């Protein structure tokens, strides 16, 4: 299992300290949630902050843009040194073009769908993306409750990937903990994002290890 802790639940007054344990932990990627107060009803952090996080982080950056018109920021995400750029299906009328722009910039491209968006909309883009991010909460906030229908969506997506021969990984974001993580693993998830479960744990590195070895 690839584990991608979400910085949204970190202590923003001590990002340096958070990056210290993180770099030495079994976590694989760092998940960065960028919000604009338009696509989602919250604002998190932007590029001036993330530039410093990127400088301190020794692991691949998994960037999740919860913003309208994410295509405007391909260059900024690339300059962070991101490994993966995730854009929402619901925010991109020209999704195929955006995925191409992300690839041209030299990054892996992910498409994200909200809890009310069915997996079937991915039919004509699944072969072009490196990853699908399934939201298991309504995006915008950490610490929400896992929406159970996500495990069924993971299975449906697994089938679509097999049918099309796509190489896309399946990532799940929201309300992930040891219990929901196990269900997601059984359903066929490849990557788990976890914010509050990891950052609020007495030993965050141990929480990462637990998710990794579910
Ligand atoms: C929510 C974000 C998530 C969030 C997850 O909009 O996309 O990445 O940090 O937080 P938890 O794991 O606490 O649900
Ligand atoms: Zn996220």
């Amino acid at each position: 299992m690839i584990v991608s802790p979400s910085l949204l639940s970190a202590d923003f007054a001590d990002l340096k300290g958070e990056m210290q344990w993180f770099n030495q932990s079994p976590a694989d990627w760092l998940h960065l949630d960028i919000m604009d107060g338009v696509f989602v009803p919250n604002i998190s952090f932007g590029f001036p902050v993330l530039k410093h996080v990127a400088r301190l982080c020794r692991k691949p950056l998994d960037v999740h843009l919860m913003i309208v018109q994410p295509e405007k920021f391909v260059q900024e995400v690339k300059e962070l040194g991101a490994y993966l750029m995730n854009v929402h299906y619901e925010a991109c009328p020209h999704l195929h073009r955006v995925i191409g722009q992300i690839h041209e910039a030299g990054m892996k491209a992910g498409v994200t769908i909200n809890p009310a968006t069915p997996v079937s909309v991915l039919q004509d883009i699944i072969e072009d993306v490196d990853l699908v991010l399934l939201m298991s909460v309504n995006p915008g906030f950490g610490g929400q409750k896992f929406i159970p229908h996500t495990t069924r969506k993971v299975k449906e997506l697994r089938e679509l990937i097999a049918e099309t021969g796509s190489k896309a990984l399946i990532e799940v974001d929201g309300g992930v903990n040891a219990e929901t993580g196990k269900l997601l693993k059984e359903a066929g998830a490849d990557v788990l994002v976890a914010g509050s479960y990891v950052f609020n744990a007495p030993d965050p590195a141990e929480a990462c290890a637990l998710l990794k070895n579910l």
Side-chain angles (χ1 to χ4, degrees), residues 126-171:
I126 191 71
E127 289 169 79
D128 299 296
V129 294
D130 303 293
L131 178 144
V132 174
L133 174 55
L134 296 177
M135 289 310 301
S136 39
V137 297
N138 288 295
F141 302 91
Q144 300 182 80
K145 207 171 161 303
F146 179 80
I147 298 173
H149 79 200
T150 314
T151 49
R152 170 178 53 75
K153 290 174 83 172
V154 172
K155 289 180 196 155
E156 285 173 17
L157 183 53
R158 201 26 85 220
E159 278 170 28
L160 181 63
I161 288 170
E163 276 164 23
T164 55
S166 159
K167 301 253 185 321
L169 294 176
I170 303 177
E171 180 174 27

Side-chain angles (χ1 to χ4, degrees), residues 18 27 41 67 76 88 95 98 104 108 115 135 139-140 171 174 177 194 206:
E18 296 283 31
I67 64 173
E76 280 81 353
H88 269 260
L95 182 60
V98 184
E104 273 164 37
K108 300 279 185 199
M135 289 310 301
E171 180 174 27
N177 54 35
E206 200 180 289

Side-chain angles (χ1 to χ4, degrees), residues 2 31 49 56 206:
I2 296 172
H31 186 84
V49 174
L56 297 169
E206 200 180 289

Side-chain angles (χ1 to χ4, degrees), residues 42-58:
N42 196 9
I43 297 177
S44 52
F45 37 66
F47 296 104
V49 174
L50 292 181
K51 196 172 74 180
H52 295 285
V53 172
R55 185 167 50 83
L56 297 169
C57 182
R58 301 273 166 268

